[in-house]
C-alpha cells in the first residue's frame, strides 16, 4: 500500500486557498463570462439576452467577487513571500487586471442606476462587457506565467525579460484564452438554467455548446504548449499518481456537461460544468504541488509561522459559520427555482436597459 | 518623479479615493435602515422613498468602494512588497476577519438591493441591518491593521527579521482602540453631515417639504451624537499619540523645542529650516494640558529627534489644524442642533442653522482626508513605526509613475461619474410618494 503523504498545516491552508480560488472561478468567473456574452449578444433577442445576464449577476456579483479578495488576503497572511513575489513580477498584468475589475464593476452598477437614457446606458454596457472580457484573459496570463515556471527570473534580467516576457509567452497567452472561454462556458451554462423563456434558453444553449468546444480546443492547446515546457513544472499533470483520476473526472464531467447541453438537461449540465472546471483548477494545483511559484517558493518554504496559520484556520472556521448560511440564503433568495418564479416589480425599472 | 514618490503618490491617491467610499459605505446603510424602520412603523411613504433613494446611493457607493478596495488589497503588494512580506503574517488576523465582514456585507447588500419584492418587510430590514453592522465591523478591522503600523506590537526583531509572532497581540495593538473609534465616529459624522447639509440646503428653498425634513432628521440623528463624541475620541487619540509617537505629536503641533508648559498652537506655518512655527495663535500650557493632562508637563519637541526621523512638519501640522478646526465646527453645529431639538422638537425652522449645516456638507470629508494625512504623513519616514522605513518597502519595479497616472485618471473619471449620478439620480429627482411599491407580495 502506498503511504499517505503527511499533510502539514501549510498544506491545509494552501488547500483552503485553492478552495477559495475554486469558488472564485465557478462563481466570480461566471460573472465575468456573462459579461463576455453581453459583448457577443447579437440578433433580435440581443437586448433580452443582456437583460437576463444583468438580472442573473446583479444580486450576486459583489459577493462572488469577494472570493478573490479572500484569496489575496489568505495569500499575504499565510504565504507572504509568495504574495510579495507575485506582486513584483506580475506588476504589469495585475495593474491591467485591476483596471479591468474596477471598470467592470463600476460600469455594471452605473448602467443599472443611470436611467438618463438608453444611449448612455449602452455605453456603460459596452464598457462593462469589454472589461469583463479583458480581465479574465489577463488573469489567465498570470496563471500561465506562474504555472510555466517563468517567474524564476534570473538575477540581472532586463525589464522585458523580467516584467513582460513571463506573462506574454505562448503558454501564458494560451492560458489566458483558456481562462476566458472557461468563464464564458460557465456563464452560458448557468444562463440556460436561469433564462425563463424558451427562445433565450435556446440562445444560451447554443452559446454554451460553442464555448464547450472552445474549452476543449484551448485545453488541448494549453496541454500541448505545456508539454513543450520544462517537464518538472507540468510533469505531475501527466505522470503523477493522481493524474489519471483527475483527467478521468475532468473528461467525464466535460462529456456529461456536453451531453446535458445537447439533450436539454440543463441542471445536470450546470452541475457537470462546475465539476469539470473545478477539476481543472485542482489539476493546476496538483501539477504544481508542492511549488506555489515553481522554481521560487514551495508551500513549506513560503508558509507563515505556525501560530499565524493556526489562527487563520480558527478564523476561517469561525467565519464560515457566518458565511455559509449567508451565502446559502443569498442563493436561495435569488437562484432557487421558487425564487425565479417571482415577478420583479420593483427592480425591473432600473435593471433592464430598454 | 522618483519611483518612491510615485508609489507614495499612488498609495495616497488610492486611499484618499477609497476612504470617501468607505466612510459613506459605513454611514449610508445606517441611514437606509433607520428610514426603512420608520416606514415599517408608520407606513408613511416618505420614509420608504428615503430608504429607496439611500439604498440606490449605497449601491453605487458600495460598488465603487468594493472595486477600489480590491485595488488597495493588491496595491499593498504592487507598491510595498517588502512591507507585506514582513508584516503579512503579523497583521493577518484583522485582514482575514475583515474579509469575512466584507463578505457578509456584500451578500446582504445583494439581498437588500434586489430583495425589496422578494422578502418580508422584516427580513428585508434585517438584511439592511446586516449590511450596516458588517460594514462598520469591516472598517474597524482595517483600521486595526493601520493602527499596527503606528504602534507595532506582537513580534520581536532579531537580526532584522520578525520572530515570536503573536498575531492576536498585533491585532489588539495599543493604537487599535483609539484609532478605530475615531475613524468609525468620523464615518457616521461625515455621512450624517453630508446628507443633512444637502437637505438643509433644499429646506431653505422648500421649507415645508416633509421629505427633506424627514431626511434631515435621520441624518442628524447619526451626525449629532457622532460629532459630539468625536471630541472625546479625538482627545483620547491625541493623548495616545503623545505617549507612543512623540515625533508625530511634535509635527502635528509644529512643536520644535522641548518645553514644559508647551503652548497649543492654533494655525501657523512651521518652517523646518529655521525650526520655528510662525503666525500661530498660542494658548500657553495648552499642549501640555491636552497631551498629558497637566499644563506644566514637558512635551518633547522635534529637536529631540534626528531630522532623518522627522515627518514633513508643515503638511502634518496644517492637516491637523484643518481636521481639528472642522471637527470643532461640526461639534458646535451638533450642539446647536441638540439645543434646537430640545427646545422646539424641530430643526428645520431655524434658518441660520440650516445655512450652517448646508455650509458644512463637505466638512466631514475634508476632515477625514486631513486626518488620514496626519496619521500617514505624520508617521513618515516609517511605514512601520520605528521598524521599517517606507523607502525600504517599495517595489523594485521601475516606471511607477505610469500606474500612478493611470489610476489617478481612472479615479478622477469615476469620481466625476459617481458625483454626477448621485446628484442626478438621487438628490435631484423629485420625491415621489406614490412610488409603485409591492412590499407584501
Amino acid at each position: 500500500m502506498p503511504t499517505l503523504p503527511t499533510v502539514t498545516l501549510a498544506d491545509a491552508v494552501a488547500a483552503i486557498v485553492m478552495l477559495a480560488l475554486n469558488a472564485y472561478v465557478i462563481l466570480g468567473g461566471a460573472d465575468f463570462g456573462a459579461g463576455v456574452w453581453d459583448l457577443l449578444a447579437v440578433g433580435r433577442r440581443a437586448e433580452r439576452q443582456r437583460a437576463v445576464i444583468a438580472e442573473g449577476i446583479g444580486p450576486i456579483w459583489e459577493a462572488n467577487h469577494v472570493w478573490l479578495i479572500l484569496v489575496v488576503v489568505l495569500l499575504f497572511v499565510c504565504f507572504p513571500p509568495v504574495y510579495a513575489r507575485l506582486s513584483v513580477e506580475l506588476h504589469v498584468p495585475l495593474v491591467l487586471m485591476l483596471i479591468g475589475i474596477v471598470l467592470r464593476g463600476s460600469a455594471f452598477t452605473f448602467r443599472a442606476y443611470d436611467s438618463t437614457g438608453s444611449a448612455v446606458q449602452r455605453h456603460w454596457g459596452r464598457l462593462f462587457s469589454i472589461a469583463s472580457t479583458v480581465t479574465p484573459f489577463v488573469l489567465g496570463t498570470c496563471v500561465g506565467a506562474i504555472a510555466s515556471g517563468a517567474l524564476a527570473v534570473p538575477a540581472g534580467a532586463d525589464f522585458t525579460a523580467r516584467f513582460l516576457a513571463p506573462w506574454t509567452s505562448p503558454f501564458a497567452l494560451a492560458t489566458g484564452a483558456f481562462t476566458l472561454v472557461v468563464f464564458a462556458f460557465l456563464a452560458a451554462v448557468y444562463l440556460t438554467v436561469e433564462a425563463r423563456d424558451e427562445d433565450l434558453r435556446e440562445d444560451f444553449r447554443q452559446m454554451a455548446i460553442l464555448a464547450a468546444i472552445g474549452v476543449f480546443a484551448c485545453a488541448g492547446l494549453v496541454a500541448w504548449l505545456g508539454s513543450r515546457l520544462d517537464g518538472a513544472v507540468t510533469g505531475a499533470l501527466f505522470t503523477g499518481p493522481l493524474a489519471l483520476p483527475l483527467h478521468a473526472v475532468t473528461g467525464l464531467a466535460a462529456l456529461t456537461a456536453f451531453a446535458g447541453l445537447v439533450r436539454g438537461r440543463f441542471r445536470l449540465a450546470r452541475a457537470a460544468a462546475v465539476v469539470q472546471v473545478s477539476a481543472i483548477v485542482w489539476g493546476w494545483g496538483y501539477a504544481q504541488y508542492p511549488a506555489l511559484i515553481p522554481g521560487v517558493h514551495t508551500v513549506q518554504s513560503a508558509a507563515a509561522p505556525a501560530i499565524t496559520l493556526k489562527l487563520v484556520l480558527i478564523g476561517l472556521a469561525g467565519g464560515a459559520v457566518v458565511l455559509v448560511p449567508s451565502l446559502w440564503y443569498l442563493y436561495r433568495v435569488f437562484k432557487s427555482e421558487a425564487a425565479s418564479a417571482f415577478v420583479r416589480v420593483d427592480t425591473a425599472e432600473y435593471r433592464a436597459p430598454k | 518623479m522618483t519611483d518612491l514618490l510615485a508609489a507614495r503618490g499612488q498609495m495616497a491617491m488610492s486611499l484618499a479615493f477609497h476612504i470617501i467610499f468607505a466612510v459613506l459605505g459605513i454611514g449610508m446603510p445606517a441611514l437606509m435602515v433607520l428610514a426603512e424602520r420608520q416606514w415599517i412603523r408608520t407606513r408613511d411613504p416618505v420614509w420608504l422613498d428615503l430608504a429607496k433613494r439611500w439604498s440606490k446611493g449605497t449601491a453605487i457607493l458600495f460598488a465603487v468602494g468594493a472595486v477600489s478596495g480590491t485595488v488597495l488589497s493588491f496595491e499593498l503588494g504592487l507598491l510595498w512588497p517588502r512591507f507585506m512580506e514582513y508584516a503579512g503574517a503579523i497583521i493577518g488576523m484583522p485582514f482575514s476577519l475583515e474579509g469575512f465582514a466584507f463578505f457578509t456585507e456584500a451578500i446582504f447588500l445583494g439581498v437588500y438591493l434586489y430583495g425589496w419584492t422578494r422578502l418580508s418587510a422584516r427580513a428585508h430590514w434585517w438584511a439592511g441591518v446586516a449590511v450596516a453592522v458588517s460594514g462598520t465591523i469591516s472598517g474597524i478591522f482595517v483600521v486595526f491593521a493601520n493602527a499596527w503600523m503606528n504602534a507595532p506590537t506582537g513580534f520581536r526583531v532579531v537580526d532584522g527579521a520578525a520572530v515570536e509572532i503573536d498575531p492576536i497581540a498585533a491585532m489588539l495593538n495599543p493604537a487599535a482602540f483609539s484609532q478605530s473609534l475615531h475613524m468609525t465616529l468620523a464615518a457616521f459624522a461625515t455621512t450624517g453631515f453630508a446628507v443633512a447639509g444637502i437637505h438643509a440646503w433644499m429646506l431653505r428653498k422648500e421649507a415645508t417639504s416633509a421629505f427633506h425634513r424627514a431626511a434631515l432628521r435621520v441624518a442628524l440623528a447619526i451626525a449629532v451624537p457622532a460629532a459630539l463624541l468625536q471630541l472625546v475620541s479625538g482627545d483620547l487619540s491625541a493623548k495616545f499619540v503623545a505617549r507612543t509617537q512623540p515625533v508625530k505629536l511634535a509635527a502635528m503641533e509644529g512643536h520644535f523645542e522641548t518645553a514644559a508648559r508647551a503652548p497649543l498652537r492654533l494655525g501657523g506655518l512651521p518652517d523646518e529650516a529655521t525650526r520655528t512655527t510662525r503666525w500661530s495663535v498660542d494658548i500657553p500650557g495648552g499642549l501640555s494640558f491636552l497631551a498629558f493632562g497637566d499644563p506644566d508637563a514637558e512635551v518633547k519637541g522635534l529637536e529631540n529627534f534626528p531630522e532623518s526621523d522627522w515627518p514633513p512638519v508643515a503638511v502634518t501640522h496644517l492637516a491637523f489644524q484643518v481636521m481639528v478646526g472642522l471637527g470643532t465646527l461640526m461639534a458646535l453645529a451638533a450642539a446647536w442642533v441638540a439645543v434646537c431639538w430640545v427646545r422646539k422638537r424641530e430643526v428645520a425652522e431655524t434658518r441660520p442653522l440650516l445655512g450652517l449645516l448646508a455650509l458644512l456638507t463637505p466638512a466631514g470629508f475634508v476632515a477625514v482626508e486631513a486626518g488620514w494625512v496626519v496619521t500617514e504623513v505624520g508617521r513618515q519616514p516609517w511605514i512601520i513605526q520605528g521598524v521599517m522605513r517606507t523607502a525600504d518597502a517599495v517595489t523594485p519595479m521601475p516606471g511607477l509613475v505610469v500606474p500612478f497616472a493611470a489610476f489617478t485618471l481612472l479615479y478622477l473619471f469615476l469620481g466625476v461619474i459617481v458625483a454626477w449620478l448621485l446628484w442626478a439620480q438621487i438628490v435631484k429627482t423629485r420625491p415621489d410618494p406614490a412610488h409603485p411599491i409591492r412590499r407584501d407580495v
Side-chain angles (χ1 to χ4, degrees), chain A residues 62-63 65 76-77 83 87 91 102 109-110 113 115-116 308 333-334 339 344-346 351, chain B residues 52 59 62-63 70-71 73 77-78 88-89 92 103 108 110 114 118-119 414 420-421 425 438:
Chain A
E62 309 230 38
H65 172 74
F76 76 57
V77 175
Y83 171 81
S87 306
H91 190 113
V102 169
T109 307
F110 295 164
Y113 290 96
S115 52
T116 45
T308 300
V333 171
F334 295 105
R344 284 145 233 199
V345 182
D346 175 77
R351 183 90 63 77
Chain B
K52 291 215 164 185
F62 183 85
T70 306
V71 171
S73 71
L78 292 173
F103 225 137
F108 285 100
Y114 289 85
R118 290 169 178 251
L119 306 174
L414 289 185
W420 180 81
L421 266 183
Q425 299 296 312
R438 286 176 52 193

Short mmCIF file of all heavy atoms in Angstrom, two decimals, chain A residues 62-63 65 76-77 83 87 91 102 109-110 113 115-116 308 333-334 339 344-346 351, chain B residues 52 59 62-63 70-71 73 77-78 88-89 92 103 108 110 114 118-119 414 420-421 425 438:
data_model
loop_
_atom_site.label_atom_id
_atom_site.label_comp_id
_atom_site.label_asym_id
_atom_site.label_seq_id
_atom_site.Cartn_x
_atom_site.Cartn_y
_atom_site.Cartn_z
N GLU A 62 -21.25 41.05 -6.45
CA GLU A 62 -20.37 41.65 -5.44
C GLU A 62 -19.92 40.61 -4.43
O GLU A 62 -18.76 40.58 -4.03
CB GLU A 62 -21.10 42.79 -4.71
CG GLU A 62 -21.72 43.76 -5.68
CD GLU A 62 -21.37 45.20 -5.38
OE1 GLU A 62 -20.22 45.47 -4.99
OE2 GLU A 62 -22.25 46.05 -5.55
N ALA A 63 -20.85 39.74 -4.02
CA ALA A 63 -20.48 38.68 -3.09
C ALA A 63 -19.49 37.72 -3.76
O ALA A 63 -18.49 37.33 -3.16
CB ALA A 63 -21.71 37.93 -2.62
N HIS A 65 -17.39 38.33 -6.02
CA HIS A 65 -16.10 38.99 -6.19
C HIS A 65 -15.23 38.88 -4.94
O HIS A 65 -14.00 38.88 -5.02
CB HIS A 65 -16.35 40.46 -6.54
CG HIS A 65 -15.12 41.31 -6.55
ND1 HIS A 65 -14.20 41.23 -7.57
CD2 HIS A 65 -14.65 42.21 -5.68
CE1 HIS A 65 -13.22 42.08 -7.32
NE2 HIS A 65 -13.46 42.68 -6.17
N PHE A 76 -1.45 36.75 1.35
CA PHE A 76 -0.46 37.61 2.01
C PHE A 76 -0.33 37.35 3.50
O PHE A 76 0.68 37.68 4.10
CB PHE A 76 -0.61 39.09 1.63
CG PHE A 76 -1.71 39.91 2.24
CD1 PHE A 76 -1.85 40.05 3.61
CD2 PHE A 76 -2.55 40.62 1.40
CE1 PHE A 76 -2.84 40.86 4.14
CE2 PHE A 76 -3.54 41.45 1.93
CZ PHE A 76 -3.69 41.55 3.30
N VAL A 77 -1.34 36.71 4.09
CA VAL A 77 -1.22 36.38 5.51
C VAL A 77 -0.45 35.06 5.68
O VAL A 77 0.43 34.97 6.52
CB VAL A 77 -2.62 36.26 6.16
CG1 VAL A 77 -2.49 35.81 7.60
CG2 VAL A 77 -3.35 37.59 6.08
N TYR A 83 3.01 36.23 -2.04
CA TYR A 83 2.24 37.43 -2.40
C TYR A 83 3.19 38.54 -2.85
O TYR A 83 2.96 39.19 -3.87
CB TYR A 83 1.43 37.87 -1.19
CG TYR A 83 0.75 39.22 -1.33
CD1 TYR A 83 -0.46 39.34 -2.02
CD2 TYR A 83 1.31 40.36 -0.77
CE1 TYR A 83 -1.09 40.57 -2.13
CE2 TYR A 83 0.69 41.59 -0.89
CZ TYR A 83 -0.51 41.69 -1.56
OH TYR A 83 -1.13 42.91 -1.69
N SER A 87 3.43 39.99 -6.65
CA SER A 87 3.12 41.41 -6.84
C SER A 87 4.23 42.13 -7.58
O SER A 87 3.97 43.06 -8.34
CB SER A 87 2.92 42.10 -5.48
OG SER A 87 1.96 41.44 -4.72
N HIS A 91 3.55 42.70 -11.83
CA HIS A 91 3.01 44.05 -11.61
C HIS A 91 2.17 44.52 -12.80
O HIS A 91 1.04 44.99 -12.64
CB HIS A 91 4.17 45.04 -11.37
CG HIS A 91 3.73 46.39 -10.91
ND1 HIS A 91 4.01 46.88 -9.66
CD2 HIS A 91 3.02 47.36 -11.54
CE1 HIS A 91 3.49 48.09 -9.53
NE2 HIS A 91 2.89 48.42 -10.66
N VAL A 102 -12.06 47.23 -11.86
CA VAL A 102 -12.69 48.50 -11.48
C VAL A 102 -13.72 48.90 -12.52
O VAL A 102 -14.86 49.26 -12.20
CB VAL A 102 -11.62 49.60 -11.32
CG1 VAL A 102 -12.27 50.97 -11.21
CG2 VAL A 102 -10.75 49.34 -10.10
N THR A 109 -22.66 48.78 -12.42
CA THR A 109 -23.51 49.50 -11.48
C THR A 109 -24.04 50.79 -12.10
O THR A 109 -25.20 51.14 -11.91
CB THR A 109 -22.70 49.80 -10.21
OG1 THR A 109 -22.15 48.58 -9.73
CG2 THR A 109 -23.58 50.41 -9.13
N PHE A 110 -23.17 51.50 -12.82
CA PHE A 110 -23.62 52.75 -13.44
C PHE A 110 -24.75 52.46 -14.43
O PHE A 110 -25.72 53.22 -14.52
CB PHE A 110 -22.47 53.44 -14.16
CG PHE A 110 -21.36 53.91 -13.25
CD1 PHE A 110 -20.11 54.25 -13.75
CD2 PHE A 110 -21.57 54.03 -11.88
CE1 PHE A 110 -19.10 54.69 -12.91
CE2 PHE A 110 -20.57 54.45 -11.02
CZ PHE A 110 -19.32 54.79 -11.54
N TYR A 113 -28.00 51.99 -12.56
CA TYR A 113 -28.59 53.12 -11.84
C TYR A 113 -28.65 54.39 -12.65
O TYR A 113 -29.13 55.41 -12.17
CB TYR A 113 -27.85 53.35 -10.52
CG TYR A 113 -28.12 52.23 -9.55
CD1 TYR A 113 -27.25 51.16 -9.42
CD2 TYR A 113 -29.30 52.23 -8.81
CE1 TYR A 113 -27.53 50.11 -8.57
CE2 TYR A 113 -29.59 51.19 -7.95
CZ TYR A 113 -28.70 50.13 -7.84
OH TYR A 113 -29.00 49.10 -7.00
N SER A 115 -30.43 56.12 -15.29
CA SER A 115 -31.61 56.00 -16.15
C SER A 115 -31.80 57.24 -17.01
O SER A 115 -32.90 57.62 -17.35
CB SER A 115 -32.84 55.75 -15.28
OG SER A 115 -32.93 56.74 -14.29
N THR A 116 -30.67 57.88 -17.34
CA THR A 116 -30.80 59.12 -18.10
C THR A 116 -31.12 58.86 -19.57
O THR A 116 -31.59 59.74 -20.26
CB THR A 116 -29.50 59.94 -18.04
OG1 THR A 116 -28.42 59.06 -18.26
CG2 THR A 116 -29.36 60.64 -16.71
N THR A 308 0.45 31.84 13.12
CA THR A 308 -0.39 32.60 12.18
C THR A 308 -1.33 31.66 11.44
O THR A 308 -2.53 31.93 11.32
CB THR A 308 0.49 33.36 11.18
OG1 THR A 308 1.35 34.25 11.89
CG2 THR A 308 -0.34 34.15 10.19
N VAL A 333 -32.57 33.01 -2.10
CA VAL A 333 -33.47 34.11 -2.45
C VAL A 333 -33.46 34.37 -3.95
O VAL A 333 -34.50 34.64 -4.54
CB VAL A 333 -33.07 35.39 -1.67
CG1 VAL A 333 -33.85 36.60 -2.19
CG2 VAL A 333 -33.32 35.20 -0.18
N PHE A 334 -32.27 34.29 -4.58
CA PHE A 334 -32.20 34.74 -5.97
C PHE A 334 -32.03 33.63 -6.99
O PHE A 334 -32.27 33.84 -8.16
CB PHE A 334 -31.06 35.74 -6.13
CG PHE A 334 -31.29 37.00 -5.35
CD1 PHE A 334 -30.60 37.25 -4.18
CD2 PHE A 334 -32.23 37.92 -5.80
CE1 PHE A 334 -30.83 38.40 -3.46
CE2 PHE A 334 -32.46 39.08 -5.09
CZ PHE A 334 -31.77 39.33 -3.92
N ALA A 339 -37.48 31.09 -6.35
CA ALA A 339 -37.15 32.50 -6.45
C ALA A 339 -37.39 33.01 -7.87
O ALA A 339 -37.85 34.12 -8.08
CB ALA A 339 -35.71 32.73 -6.04
N ARG A 344 -40.50 40.56 -10.64
CA ARG A 344 -39.71 41.64 -10.05
C ARG A 344 -40.31 42.99 -10.41
O ARG A 344 -39.94 43.61 -11.38
CB ARG A 344 -38.28 41.58 -10.52
CG ARG A 344 -37.55 40.46 -9.82
CD ARG A 344 -36.58 39.84 -10.75
NE ARG A 344 -36.85 38.41 -10.76
CZ ARG A 344 -35.98 37.52 -11.19
NH1 ARG A 344 -34.84 37.90 -11.65
NH2 ARG A 344 -36.28 36.26 -11.17
N VAL A 345 -41.26 43.39 -9.63
CA VAL A 345 -41.97 44.63 -9.93
C VAL A 345 -41.03 45.80 -9.77
O VAL A 345 -40.90 46.66 -10.62
CB VAL A 345 -43.12 44.80 -8.93
CG1 VAL A 345 -43.89 46.07 -9.25
CG2 VAL A 345 -44.01 43.59 -8.96
N ASP A 346 -40.34 45.77 -8.66
CA ASP A 346 -39.68 46.97 -8.21
C ASP A 346 -38.33 47.19 -8.89
O ASP A 346 -37.99 48.29 -9.26
CB ASP A 346 -39.49 46.87 -6.71
CG ASP A 346 -38.70 48.02 -6.20
OD1 ASP A 346 -39.28 49.09 -6.09
OD2 ASP A 346 -37.49 47.85 -5.98
N ARG A 351 -33.28 47.90 -13.88
CA ARG A 351 -32.41 46.77 -14.19
C ARG A 351 -32.21 46.62 -15.68
O ARG A 351 -31.11 46.72 -16.21
CB ARG A 351 -33.02 45.49 -13.63
CG ARG A 351 -32.17 44.28 -13.83
CD ARG A 351 -31.23 44.08 -12.67
NE ARG A 351 -32.00 43.83 -11.46
CZ ARG A 351 -32.57 42.67 -11.19
NH1 ARG A 351 -32.50 41.67 -12.02
NH2 ARG A 351 -33.22 42.50 -10.08
N LYS B 52 -35.39 54.03 -0.17
CA LYS B 52 -35.04 53.57 -1.52
C LYS B 52 -33.97 54.44 -2.15
O LYS B 52 -33.05 53.94 -2.80
CB LYS B 52 -36.29 53.56 -2.39
CG LYS B 52 -37.25 52.48 -1.97
CD LYS B 52 -37.97 51.90 -3.15
CE LYS B 52 -38.60 50.60 -2.73
NZ LYS B 52 -39.21 49.90 -3.83
N ALA B 59 -25.83 51.54 -3.14
CA ALA B 59 -25.44 50.58 -4.18
C ALA B 59 -24.30 51.12 -5.03
O ALA B 59 -23.31 50.43 -5.29
CB ALA B 59 -26.64 50.25 -5.06
N PHE B 62 -21.16 51.56 -2.80
CA PHE B 62 -20.57 50.28 -2.39
C PHE B 62 -19.81 49.65 -3.55
O PHE B 62 -18.72 49.12 -3.36
CB PHE B 62 -21.65 49.32 -1.89
CG PHE B 62 -21.08 48.01 -1.41
CD1 PHE B 62 -20.61 47.90 -0.11
CD2 PHE B 62 -20.97 46.91 -2.25
CE1 PHE B 62 -20.06 46.70 0.34
CE2 PHE B 62 -20.42 45.72 -1.81
CZ PHE B 62 -19.97 45.62 -0.51
N ALA B 63 -20.39 49.70 -4.75
CA ALA B 63 -19.73 49.07 -5.89
C ALA B 63 -18.36 49.71 -6.13
O ALA B 63 -17.35 49.01 -6.30
CB ALA B 63 -20.61 49.20 -7.14
N THR B 70 -10.55 46.55 -3.60
CA THR B 70 -9.82 45.43 -4.22
C THR B 70 -8.47 45.94 -4.73
O THR B 70 -7.43 45.29 -4.55
CB THR B 70 -10.62 44.86 -5.40
OG1 THR B 70 -11.92 44.53 -4.94
CG2 THR B 70 -9.93 43.64 -5.97
N VAL B 71 -8.49 47.10 -5.37
CA VAL B 71 -7.25 47.68 -5.88
C VAL B 71 -6.26 47.84 -4.72
O VAL B 71 -5.08 47.47 -4.84
CB VAL B 71 -7.52 49.03 -6.57
CG1 VAL B 71 -6.21 49.73 -6.89
CG2 VAL B 71 -8.33 48.83 -7.83
N SER B 73 -6.09 46.15 -1.94
CA SER B 73 -5.57 44.88 -1.43
C SER B 73 -4.43 44.37 -2.31
O SER B 73 -3.54 43.66 -1.85
CB SER B 73 -6.69 43.85 -1.30
OG SER B 73 -7.12 43.42 -2.57
N GLY B 77 0.79 45.03 -2.16
CA GLY B 77 1.91 44.24 -2.68
C GLY B 77 2.55 44.87 -3.90
O GLY B 77 3.77 44.85 -4.06
N LEU B 78 1.74 45.46 -4.79
CA LEU B 78 2.29 46.03 -6.01
C LEU B 78 3.25 47.17 -5.70
O LEU B 78 4.20 47.40 -6.43
CB LEU B 78 1.16 46.55 -6.90
CG LEU B 78 0.25 45.48 -7.51
CD1 LEU B 78 -0.93 46.10 -8.22
CD2 LEU B 78 1.04 44.62 -8.49
N GLY B 88 2.82 40.67 6.66
CA GLY B 88 1.64 39.86 6.35
C GLY B 88 1.28 38.87 7.45
O GLY B 88 0.13 38.81 7.91
N ALA B 89 2.27 38.10 7.89
CA ALA B 89 1.99 37.07 8.89
C ALA B 89 1.65 37.67 10.25
O ALA B 89 0.98 37.04 11.07
CB ALA B 89 3.19 36.13 9.01
N GLY B 92 -2.06 39.65 9.83
CA GLY B 92 -3.04 38.94 9.03
C GLY B 92 -4.41 38.81 9.66
O GLY B 92 -5.42 38.79 8.97
N PHE B 103 -17.40 40.17 3.20
CA PHE B 103 -18.18 39.14 2.52
C PHE B 103 -19.65 39.25 2.95
O PHE B 103 -20.58 39.29 2.13
CB PHE B 103 -17.65 37.75 2.89
CG PHE B 103 -17.51 36.83 1.72
CD1 PHE B 103 -16.38 36.02 1.58
CD2 PHE B 103 -18.49 36.76 0.74
CE1 PHE B 103 -16.24 35.16 0.51
CE2 PHE B 103 -18.35 35.90 -0.34
CZ PHE B 103 -17.23 35.10 -0.45
N PHE B 108 -25.36 40.55 2.00
CA PHE B 108 -26.64 41.12 2.43
C PHE B 108 -26.99 42.40 1.68
O PHE B 108 -28.16 42.76 1.59
CB PHE B 108 -26.67 41.29 3.95
CG PHE B 108 -26.86 39.98 4.64
CD1 PHE B 108 -25.78 39.29 5.19
CD2 PHE B 108 -28.10 39.37 4.66
CE1 PHE B 108 -25.95 38.05 5.77
CE2 PHE B 108 -28.29 38.13 5.23
CZ PHE B 108 -27.21 37.47 5.79
N GLY B 110 -26.57 42.57 -1.56
CA GLY B 110 -27.28 41.98 -2.70
C GLY B 110 -28.70 41.63 -2.32
O GLY B 110 -29.66 41.94 -3.04
N TYR B 114 -31.77 43.87 -4.11
CA TYR B 114 -32.59 43.17 -5.08
C TYR B 114 -33.75 42.43 -4.42
O TYR B 114 -34.47 41.72 -5.08
CB TYR B 114 -31.72 42.21 -5.90
CG TYR B 114 -30.79 42.93 -6.87
CD1 TYR B 114 -29.56 43.41 -6.45
CD2 TYR B 114 -31.17 43.15 -8.18
CE1 TYR B 114 -28.72 44.08 -7.33
CE2 TYR B 114 -30.34 43.82 -9.06
CZ TYR B 114 -29.12 44.27 -8.64
OH TYR B 114 -28.28 44.94 -9.51
N ARG B 118 -39.01 40.45 -2.72
CA ARG B 118 -38.88 39.02 -2.52
C ARG B 118 -38.93 38.61 -1.06
O ARG B 118 -39.09 37.44 -0.74
CB ARG B 118 -37.55 38.52 -3.08
CG ARG B 118 -37.51 38.55 -4.57
CD ARG B 118 -36.10 38.31 -5.02
NE ARG B 118 -36.06 38.28 -6.48
CZ ARG B 118 -35.86 37.19 -7.19
NH1 ARG B 118 -35.65 36.06 -6.60
NH2 ARG B 118 -35.84 37.26 -8.49
N LEU B 119 -38.73 39.56 -0.18
CA LEU B 119 -38.66 39.22 1.24
C LEU B 119 -39.77 39.93 1.99
O LEU B 119 -40.32 40.93 1.52
CB LEU B 119 -37.32 39.70 1.82
CG LEU B 119 -36.05 39.23 1.13
CD1 LEU B 119 -34.85 39.92 1.74
CD2 LEU B 119 -35.91 37.73 1.27
N LEU B 414 -14.04 58.12 -12.42
CA LEU B 414 -15.07 57.51 -11.59
C LEU B 414 -15.67 58.51 -10.61
O LEU B 414 -16.88 58.53 -10.39
CB LEU B 414 -14.50 56.33 -10.80
CG LEU B 414 -14.14 55.08 -11.56
CD1 LEU B 414 -13.71 53.99 -10.60
CD2 LEU B 414 -15.32 54.59 -12.38
N TRP B 420 -21.92 62.85 -10.24
CA TRP B 420 -23.00 63.23 -11.13
C TRP B 420 -24.20 62.30 -10.97
O TRP B 420 -25.35 62.73 -10.90
CB TRP B 420 -22.50 63.23 -12.58
CG TRP B 420 -23.57 63.61 -13.53
CD1 TRP B 420 -23.99 64.87 -13.84
CD2 TRP B 420 -24.39 62.72 -14.29
NE1 TRP B 420 -25.02 64.81 -14.73
CE2 TRP B 420 -25.28 63.51 -15.04
CE3 TRP B 420 -24.44 61.32 -14.41
CZ2 TRP B 420 -26.22 62.96 -15.89
CZ3 TRP B 420 -25.38 60.78 -15.25
CH2 TRP B 420 -26.27 61.59 -15.99
N LEU B 421 -23.92 60.98 -10.86
CA LEU B 421 -25.01 60.01 -10.72
C LEU B 421 -25.78 60.23 -9.43
O LEU B 421 -27.01 60.20 -9.42
CB LEU B 421 -24.44 58.59 -10.69
CG LEU B 421 -24.35 57.81 -11.99
CD1 LEU B 421 -23.82 56.42 -11.71
CD2 LEU B 421 -25.72 57.71 -12.65
N GLN B 425 -29.53 61.13 -9.96
CA GLN B 425 -30.46 60.03 -9.72
C GLN B 425 -31.14 60.11 -8.36
O GLN B 425 -32.22 59.59 -8.19
CB GLN B 425 -29.70 58.69 -9.79
CG GLN B 425 -29.09 58.42 -11.12
CD GLN B 425 -30.13 58.29 -12.20
OE1 GLN B 425 -31.12 57.59 -12.05
NE2 GLN B 425 -29.95 59.01 -13.31
N ARG B 438 -44.70 47.17 -4.15
CA ARG B 438 -45.47 46.00 -3.71
C ARG B 438 -44.62 45.26 -2.71
O ARG B 438 -43.89 44.35 -3.06
CB ARG B 438 -45.83 45.14 -4.91
CG ARG B 438 -46.94 45.78 -5.74
CD ARG B 438 -47.22 44.98 -6.97
NE ARG B 438 -47.45 43.58 -6.65
CZ ARG B 438 -47.48 42.64 -7.59
NH1 ARG B 438 -47.29 42.94 -8.84
NH2 ARG B 438 -47.70 41.39 -7.24
#
